[in-house]
Amino acid sequence: MVRVSTTPWTPVERSTCLHCGAHVTEQFRRVFGDDLDRAHRCGECDSYARLSRGSAAGLEVDVPDPETANGRQGGEPDV
């Protein structure tokens, strides 16, 4: 017996974070991504506080970016 998968193929550009290139799941893209289910940021390159406010959908958010601010959440770095 031959089994055939019915899972649709997802192009690489849709299964990776547009910012850092890390793999993102279909569920993450569907929940946090933009209207085309693309993730502009992910848990590898952004904080949950920013992701939950829309950074994964490509929106500008008020929480400091962990890549440009001191400390993971934009506060002072741990010593």
Side-chain angles (χ1 to χ4, degrees):
M1 173 187 267
V2 175
R3 295 187 184 251
V4 178
S5 174
T6 59
T7 304
W9 178 74
T10 303
V12 172
E13 63 271 6
R14 294 227 1 227
S15 64
T16 58
C17 172
L18 296 174
H19 184 75
C20 72
H23 173 75
V24 288
T25 65
E26 181 180 351
Q27 182 176 3
F28 180 88
R29 294 189 320 267
R30 190 172 53 247
V31 173
F32 293 103
D34 63 15
D35 291 340
L36 299 175
D37 292 342
R38 297 174 303 178
H40 296 259
R41 299 292 293 262
C42 71
E44 294 293 322
C45 61
D46 212 347
S47 65
Y48 179 75
R50 288 177 46 83
L51 294 172
S52 64
R53 288 171 174 81
S55 68
L59 302 176
E60 291 291 324
V61 295
D62 292 336
V63 178
D65 188 338
E67 288 188 342
T68 59
N70 293 330
R72 177 84 174 141
Q73 304 297 327
E76 292 299 315
D78 294 336
V79 178

